[in-house]
Amino acid sequence: MAALLKKRALAEYSQVIQEQPKPPKKLRLVKKQWSGGSAAPFMGLLEKTKTSNEALDVLLRISDTLQFQEEDLPEAVKKLAEHFQKEPEPAVRAKILSLFGAIGTEPGADIQNIIEEIIRLLRKEESHKVISQGVTALMKLGKFMADNFPAHQKLVLIAKQYLTDTSHSVKCKCLELIGSLLPVGGPADVTQSMIHLVGDFTHSQEPRVRSAAFKAMLSLHERGLKLDAGVYSEVCKALKDDYEIVRQAALKLIWVLAQTYPENIIVLPNSEEEIRLVDDAFGKVCNTINDLSMKVRTQAASLLGTMTHVSPKFLQQTLDKKLMSNMRKKRSAHERQWESVTSGEWSTGKRWADDIPREMVDADSVNLLGSSGACGAFVHGLEDEFLEVRSASVDSICWLSLNNTQFATLSLDFLVDMFNDEIEDVRLKAIDSLTRISHHIVLREDQLETILGALEDFSLDVREGLHRMLAACRLSTKGCLQMCVQSLLDNLKKYPQDRRSTWHCLKSIGERHPELTLPLVPELLSIHPFFDMPEPDVEDPAYICILILVFNSACHCPTMLELFEEHTLKHYSYLRDTMPSLVPPLKLPGISCSRELVPVTTGSVQFMNEVLGRLARSMSVPTSSPSSSLAPSPSPSPLQQVPLAFGGARIRRELQEAAQRDLSRLAEIDSNLAGAASFASLYISSQLLLEKVVSNKMWASPTAAASHQGNIVRNSINQLLQQCLKLQHLFVGLGEAESGAARQLKVRALALHLVHVVLGSNASALALCDHFLEQVDSLQRHLSEWSLAPDAFTTSMLKELSQLEDTKPGRVARCLLPIFFQAPPSAPPRVSNQVRMSNAVITEPTSECDNILKFTAGLVLAVPFDAEISNLRAPSTLRIKVKYPDQQTRLIVPPKKDLRPLPAAAAATSHVVPNQSTGASENTDFRLLTTVLVSHGVWTEACHVEVNIAVDVTEVEGGLGMPVRKGASAINPSLAPSAAPRAEDLCVIDLCRPVKVCVSPKPVKRGNF
């Protein structure tokens, strides 16, 4: 028995059980969503709440984290509806209805079911607040179903049903829903009945309901439903309403009717006179210029500028407070006598001269053509106490004057008077308005005297605006020109920083007034008929102003050339070489620089396309396999797979280098193609740099980290990263294909950097790896969004990364290493001719200045700084870079108010770039006028401080996964060769060459207090 038990036990324990191996779990490289962002867990908490406050707190948390999976949406709607029915607090029920409207906007939501649920819950509702919120939710959901006309008709009927509610908020929301969702193309009788219903609410006792009714009519008109002209008289009565919100809505509706039916004839009240609807509406709008509310006055002043179809007599009456004769309707003597006879009145003798014949027209015999509000409407607007009304009046005068020469001439005096306004913005707007209508007007001496008086303004914007205005206007007499030149010269002595603006102003004045400049040449150039006058200093800014004026006038008046003396001709040669944009070419004998360059048609575009096409064909040719002598071993390491003997590799590299040289030269000689050629040249240069790094055997070897070769590789990678950042951030007007190519090249450079850090050094690469994976995910989304085909490297990279089980830096680097040797280089994209490159020109300070700026060490020196930046993509990334002699670098963020867009007149050669996301055009040219603060310790002698403009993309690029110095205002580029580069060193891209300023910090003198 014991032996049997022992045998059975041995048999049981001798069995071997083999487990099947589990398949490895694959990780997907997708961006992880925050686990706390889902609102589904809060729905369970809602059922457990005991009080209304707890329920409201949960609902607010759901609203803040409104994220549901598609399969959770029906259950969420059901639980919210159940809690709605048992909730006693109206505020909580209103919040639930608000959540219904928000849930309906989620992807995959059944909007029709949510609408039916809201309608069902509102049937037994008695709270006005809840009903109002329910109608708001219905309107929000209805807008998401733009083409569902039956649903819109149903919602309109629901709103019509709740219009009988006693609450004004419910009525306002219902009227808003009708205005937004009433089917425009529906049956005519139904539409007209709804319009009449909305019109009836314009007589409501509640002002908010009246305003909502007018706004609903405006919404219907904007959606394409033409309002009947018969409502005009009723809307005009609303201009006398006691509440400004009603008057504002009625004023807008009057303007809409005037724009829709301008030629309709209406009969004036209490008269038989007929008038055009647009003229009468213009008078009504003018009358509201005297409204008690500032908002109504501002709206009226703004609307006047858009009513361009009004009759000239009404338009001119707005500039005169007295009634013009052409605005009166006179009755004949027979009509006045017949009225006196038929009235049954006789002379009683109690009043003096009550029976005198009425040959003179008095007030009783005058009937105004429309409202008398047009009398001096703009005069009242320009004299208003609020700057908003004055500013809107100036804008309207400008718009009406653009197409009406007579009105522009009449309004000139009023705009000139606004130069003395107490608010700078109003003065600037008046100056800009006069500049825009300058082609209609000629300035007289009295007007010019008032304008020139404004040159004493302390504001730089006002002075430069006046310079632009004087450059665009025409002067009437020689005395005007002499007064203008003298005032500009006096202003230049007071404000030397205005010299560039003054030079451009006098250049335009000379071009526009050659006939007025000719008699002033002897006086301006100090030419005496008998004596030789002393030669002026050609470096004198005032003398340069006179020469610019005279030379630009001489370009259109050849007679003036005979008056020039010998030193004037020499000064012309000097200025023509130093200021070619301000001094025109003149046909002077014996001066070679007077030749004018004739524009010719070039083949630059064709040449660039041929270069890029030849390079693309060379890269598309398949390369031969390596020779047998260099064939890899049966199990080669990735470093042994360097393609040293690829057929055609050397020829392709030579073609790339030649193309890079040709495109760089093309960018220098052809300004129209500078941006496109620079982009292509920089792209090819980056590819050459990448191939140079990969061809170096030491780039992924840890033994060469501290060697000379390691330093060369590290510097090359840093240069490659910065060039990739330039491709992405320094060019505007890029298409999606060019942007995708730049992104792929940057990801390739980041992969190269990651492999070098992991395999070629002992530094930590966790941050680099995380940043790289984020960039890969962003690139993948960009390519899929715009349906762009990835290149060979990106295709292989995405395929290999998707098969990774782990995303540690070592695994990712070993996965990427073979791809660098297998993937061929990609051809540069075909760049559009509209691409422009960011650049900057610093006009102040200048490097020619030898003055030493002295200040006390430890304190601050303010250096005036003036620069023009072209084609700037993101103004928020602009920085002023200051480099001290001890190699410390400071990045200064300029104030937003100091960065101003270049005006149209000053940016004549600028490029307006369309926004890819919105399709709208945005200005990319700016002027930076600020002061640079310089501070340092004591120096033994004066040294130069380099100042230039740069773009800091550290925040945009996430620091490239590198360590970022906290408060990165200081950069020290003098790092040790073995030190890792910082993000500030690579993400700061210069836009121009630095300007050297000589400064000398002096020690503090003690004992002099």
Side-chain angles (χ1 to χ4, degrees):
M1 187 67 182
L4 182 61
L5 291 176
K6 183 178 181 180
K7 183 178 181 181
R8 183 180 302 173
L10 290 174
E12 291 178 358
Y13 286 105
S14 63
Q15 294 180 0
V16 178
I17 301 176
Q18 294 184 353
E19 295 184 357
Q20 297 294 332
K22 296 182 180 180
K25 185 180 295 184
K26 296 183 179 180
L27 298 178
R28 295 180 61 190
L29 290 177
V30 295
K31 190 173 182 180
K32 296 181 179 180
Q33 294 184 355
W34 180 47
S35 59
S38 177
F42 295 114
M43 301 306 300
L45 297 177
L46 185 63
E47 299 176 350
K48 301 177 182 179
T49 57
K50 298 180 180 180
T51 63
S52 297
N53 290 335
E54 294 178 357
L56 185 60
D57 183 52
V58 173
L59 292 175
L60 289 174
R61 296 173 69 181
I62 294 175
S63 178
D64 294 338
T65 60
L66 191 63
Q67 292 181 6
F68 289 97
Q69 298 294 331
E70 187 174 348
E71 58 271 11
D72 296 336
L73 289 175
E75 185 67 21
V77 173
K78 181 179 178 182
K79 290 183 178 180
L80 287 175
E82 292 176 354
H83 189 83
F84 181 93
Q85 295 177 351
K86 62 181 182 180
E87 177 59 48
E89 183 62 36
V92 180
R93 299 200 302 272
K95 185 60 181 177
I96 292 176
L97 293 178
S98 175
L99 281 177
F100 278 144
I103 291 174
T105 61
E106 290 290 308
D110 189 358
I111 300 180
Q112 191 67 39
N113 183 32
I114 297 176
I115 290 177
E116 295 294 339
E117 190 67 34
I118 294 175
I119 294 175
R120 184 181 67 82
L121 294 175
L122 289 179
R123 288 175 183 169
K124 299 181 180 180
E125 186 59 50
E126 297 180 355
S127 173
H128 301 303
K129 183 187 300 182
V130 179
I131 296 175
S132 176
Q133 185 60 54
V135 176
T136 303
L138 291 175
M139 180 175 59
K140 183 177 181 179
L141 296 175
K143 290 180 179 179
F144 271 85
M145 301 186 299
D147 300 329
N148 196 339
F149 294 107
H152 288 180
Q153 188 67 35
K154 182 177 182 180
L155 293 178
V156 169
L157 293 178
I158 295 295
K160 181 181 178 181
Q161 174 185 351
Y162 283 105
L163 279 175
T164 57
D165 197 283
T166 57
S167 173
H168 70 276
S169 61
V170 177
K171 292 180 181 178
C172 291
K173 293 298 180 181
C174 291
L175 290 172
E176 186 179 357
L177 186 147
I178 293 174
S180 302
L181 301 180
L182 179 65
V184 177
D189 54 345
V190 177
T191 304
Q192 291 300 323
S193 63
M194 291 303 300
I195 293 178
H196 287 305
L197 178 63
V198 173
D200 292 340
F201 280 91
T202 59
H203 304 288
S204 174
Q205 295 181 351
E206 174 62 43
R208 286 165 286 193
V209 177
R210 298 198 297 270
S211 176
F214 284 124
K215 290 180 180 178
M217 298 172 73
L218 284 172
S219 299
L220 292 173
H221 176 82
E222 292 173 356
R223 293 176 55 219
L225 185 62
K226 251 190 170 184
L227 297 177
D228 186 14
V231 302
Y232 176 76
S233 58
E234 294 295 328
V235 178
C236 290
K237 297 178 182 178
L239 291 178
K240 300 179 180 179
D241 199 279
D242 294 337
Y243 294 87
E244 67 175 27
I245 56 173
V246 182
R247 298 198 298 272
Q248 282 182 291
L251 193 61
K252 181 68 174 179
L253 192 55
I254 287 176
W255 176 83
V256 166
L257 293 173
Q259 299 296 100
T260 308
Y261 307 101
E263 302 299 330
N264 280 25
I265 302 299
I266 63 172
V267 179
L268 294 177
N270 303 325
S271 174
E272 298 180 357
E273 299 297 332
E274 295 181 348
I275 190 175
R276 295 166 64 225
L277 190 146
V278 65
D279 294 337
D280 187 70
F282 185 80
K284 295 288 192 302
V285 177
C286 288
N287 194 35
T288 53
I289 288 287
N290 300 316
D291 195 271
L292 294 177
S293 171
M294 182 270 292
K295 295 180 180 179
V296 178
R297 298 199 302 271
T298 304
Q299 183 182 8
S302 301
L303 293 177
L304 287 178
T306 60
M307 304 181 72
T308 57
H309 301 292
V310 69
S311 300
K313 58 182 180 180
F314 283 90
L315 197 58
Q316 297 165 13
Q317 182 64 64
T318 57
L319 298 175
D320 194 350
K321 291 184 178 181
K322 296 180 180 179
L323 189 65
M324 296 181 180
S325 60
N326 61 349
M327 292 287 290
R328 298 183 298 186
K329 178 65 177 176
K330 305 180 185 65
R331 292 176 295 174
S332 63
H334 178 73
E335 291 175 343
R336 296 195 301 271
Q337 189 65 28
W338 175 253
E339 181 182 357
S340 177
V341 171
T342 55
S343 64
E345 296 182 359
W346 298 91
S347 176
T348 59
K350 294 183 179 180
R351 289 182 301 172
W352 176 258
D354 59 349
D355 58 347
I356 188 173
R358 298 181 183 180
E359 281 79 14
M360 301 298 296
V361 179
D362 57 5
D364 295 334
S365 62
V366 174
N367 182 27
L368 298 183
L369 293 180
S371 175
S372 61
C375 295
F378 279 129
V379 179
H380 290 293
L382 295 176
E383 295 175 351
D384 198 274
E385 60 178 325
F386 290 93
L387 67 93
E388 293 86 355
V389 183
R390 300 198 302 272
S391 180
S393 301
V394 171
D395 282 337
S396 294
I397 291 177
C398 177
W399 283 110
L400 292 174
S401 301
L402 287 176
N403 300 318
N404 194 323
T405 304
Q406 187 176 7
F407 185 76
T409 305
L410 293 175
S411 61
L412 176 59
D413 290 329
F414 296 93
L415 290 177
V416 170
D417 288 340
M418 297 306 295
F419 287 6
N420 299 321
D421 194 274
E422 59 182 355
I423 303 299
E424 180 181 344
D425 291 339
V426 179
R427 298 198 300 270
L428 281 173
K429 189 158 291 187
I431 293 171
D432 293 339
S433 299
L434 194 55
T435 305
R436 296 177 63 184
I437 66 174
S438 59
H439 58 282
H440 289 310
I441 57 178
V442 178
L443 294 178
R444 304 188 309 268
E445 289 192 14
D446 57 327
Q447 297 168 341
L448 185 62
E449 185 177 358
T450 305
I451 293 173
L452 296 177
L455 282 174
E456 302 295 330
D457 200 299
F458 180 76
S459 172
L460 176 64
D461 294 332
V462 173
R463 297 197 305 271
E464 292 190 348
L466 285 171
H467 292 163
R468 291 192 300 269
M469 189 269 296
L470 291 173
C473 292
R474 292 193 60 86
L475 306 178
S476 58
T477 62
K478 180 186 69 173
C480 289
L481 179 60
Q482 189 173 11
M483 184 194 308
C484 181
V485 173
Q486 188 60 43
S487 297
L488 289 173
L489 295 180
D490 295 340
N491 181 73
L492 186 61
K493 293 179 182 179
K494 187 175 182 179
Y495 301 103
Q497 63 269 25
D498 293 351
R499 61 181 182 275
R500 294 183 65 252
S501 178
T502 306
W503 289 346
H504 284 89
C505 174
L506 288 170
K507 174 181 180 292
S508 299
I509 291 177
E511 292 175 347
R512 290 176 173 271
H513 306 88
E515 70 285 351
L516 300 181
T517 309
L518 179 60
L520 294 176
V521 170
E523 181 180 352
L524 293 174
L525 297 180
S526 300
I527 300 175
H528 197 276
F530 307 112
F531 302 103
D532 287 337
M533 304 299 291
E535 180 179 346
D537 183 12
V538 74
E539 298 295 338
D540 184 12
Y543 180 61
I544 293 176
C545 290
I546 294 175
L547 290 181
I548 290 174
L549 171 71
V550 173
F551 289 152
N552 282 277
S553 297
C555 184
H556 303 279
C557 183
T559 311
M560 201 179 300
L561 301 177
E562 304 297 332
L563 301 176
F564 293 166
E565 295 186 346
E566 183 179 356
H567 65 267
T568 306
L569 299 179
K570 294 179 181 179
H571 295 168
Y572 167 77
S573 302
Y574 172 74
L575 293 180
R576 177 62 184 160
D577 291 337
T578 56
M579 302 178 180
S581 61
L582 296 174
V583 179
L586 298 178
K587 297 180 180 180
L588 297 176
I591 299 180
S592 59
C593 64
S594 61
R595 296 176 183 175
E596 182 179 2
L597 296 178
V598 180
V600 295
T601 303
T602 62
S604 301
V605 178
Q606 182 181 359
F607 174 75
M608 185 179 68
N609 292 334
E610 289 178 357
V611 170
L612 295 178
R614 184 164 58 246
L615 193 59
R617 288 191 298 271
S618 68
M619 291 183 176
S620 62
V621 176
T623 57
S624 60
S625 60
S627 60
S628 59
S629 61
L630 296 176
S633 59
S635 58
S637 65
L639 291 178
Q640 296 174 343
Q641 300 180 13
V642 180
L644 297 177
F646 273 8
R650 180 180 58 83
I651 299 177
R652 185 182 65 236
R653 188 180 304 109
E654 292 178 355
L655 282 175
Q656 286 179 302
E657 293 175 353
Q660 194 267 339
R661 289 194 303 268
D662 293 341
L663 292 173
S664 298
R665 181 59 179 162
L666 179 62
E668 295 175 0
I669 63 178
D670 194 340
S671 58
N672 294 328
L673 285 179
S678 298
F679 181 87
S681 173
L682 193 59
Y683 189 92
I684 298 172
S685 175
S686 302
Q687 282 191 329
L688 287 172
L689 200 58
L690 191 146
E691 294 178 8
K692 176 183 175 182
V693 173
V694 175
S695 62
N696 192 329
K697 295 183 180 180
M698 310 301 292
W699 75 281
S701 174
T703 59
S707 64
H708 179 66
Q709 289 291 333
N711 294 336
I712 294 177
V713 170
R714 187 161 40 250
N715 294 334
S716 299
I717 293 177
N718 294 341
Q719 183 182 356
L720 174 62
L721 287 172
Q722 191 166 54
Q723 288 186 0
C724 292
L725 294 180
K726 289 181 180 181
L727 285 172
Q728 190 170 355
H729 296 284
L730 287 193
F731 293 90
V732 296
L734 291 175
E736 299 305 329
E738 296 93 338
S739 179
R743 282 170 174 258
Q744 293 182 74
L745 186 61
K746 186 185 72 172
V747 170
R748 194 168 183 173
L750 290 174
L752 185 72
H753 186 213
L754 177 63
V755 174
H756 170 69
V757 172
V758 173
L759 302 181
S761 68
N762 56 358
S764 174
L766 291 175
L768 288 176
C769 186
D770 292 341
H771 177 73
F772 169 72
L773 294 177
E774 289 179 2
Q775 293 298 316
V776 170
D777 184 51
S778 175
L779 173 63
Q780 192 172 8
R781 291 198 305 269
H782 178 80
L783 295 178
S784 61
E785 179 182 358
W786 297 100
S787 303
L788 300 176
D791 57 17
F793 179 86
T794 305
T795 303
S796 302
M797 178 188 64
L798 295 177
K799 180 179 178 181
E800 294 295 332
L801 291 179
S802 63
Q803 298 176 0
L804 280 182
E805 301 178 7
D806 192 5
T807 57
K808 292 183 178 180
R811 298 293 300 273
V812 175
R814 287 188 290 271
C815 170
L816 294 174
L817 181 59
I819 306 177
F820 283 103
F821 307 121
Q822 299 170 2
S826 58
R830 295 296 180 94
V831 190
S832 171
N833 300 341
Q834 302 299 323
V835 174
R836 297 289 181 266
M837 185 176 182
S838 302
N839 59 79
V841 178
I842 300 176
T843 57
E844 189 180 357
T846 58
S847 299
E848 293 84 6
C849 183
D850 297 331
N851 295 333
I852 299 177
L853 304 179
K854 300 179 181 180
F855 66 99
T856 303
L859 298 183
V860 177
L861 171 67
V863 180
F865 189 83
D866 189 2
E868 291 185 1
I869 303 101
S870 303
N871 308 312
L872 182 63
R873 291 185 58 180
S876 59
T877 62
L878 190 68
R879 302 290 185 269
I880 299 175
K881 186 177 178 181
V882 182
K883 186 176 181 180
Y884 293 92
D886 58 355
Q887 301 303 309
Q888 286 190 4
T889 303
R890 302 283 178 181
L891 292 181
I892 302 174
V893 181
K896 291 184 178 180
K897 63 181 181 63
D898 293 343
L899 186 66
R900 59 199 74 185
L902 284 178
T909 58
S910 64
H911 302 277
V912 179
V913 180
N915 193 340
Q916 297 290 344
S917 59
T918 62
S921 298
E922 55 183 8
N923 188 13
T924 57
D925 293 350
F926 298 89
R927 182 186 180 188
L928 180 60
L929 186 62
T930 183
T931 55
V932 179
L933 303 181
V934 178
S935 179
H936 210 278
V938 181
W939 297 349
T940 57
E941 60 182 9
C943 296
H944 287 96
V945 174
E946 296 182 354
V947 182
N948 68 337
I949 298 179
V951 172
D952 185 11
V953 295
T954 305
E955 185 177 354
V956 179
E957 290 294 333
L960 294 177
M962 301 179 187
V964 181
R965 187 177 287 105
K966 292 184 179 180
S969 61
I971 304 174
N972 188 2
S974 57
L975 297 170
S978 60
R982 291 187 177 271
E984 305 96 296
D985 306 327
L986 302 179
C987 297
V988 178
I989 308 171
D990 294 340
L991 297 182
C992 62
R993 293 182 178 179
V995 174
K996 294 183 178 180
V997 181
C998 190
V999 299
S1000 177
K1002 296 297 181 181
V1004 180
K1005 294 183 180 180
R1006 303 184 183 277
N1008 293 333
F1009 298 100

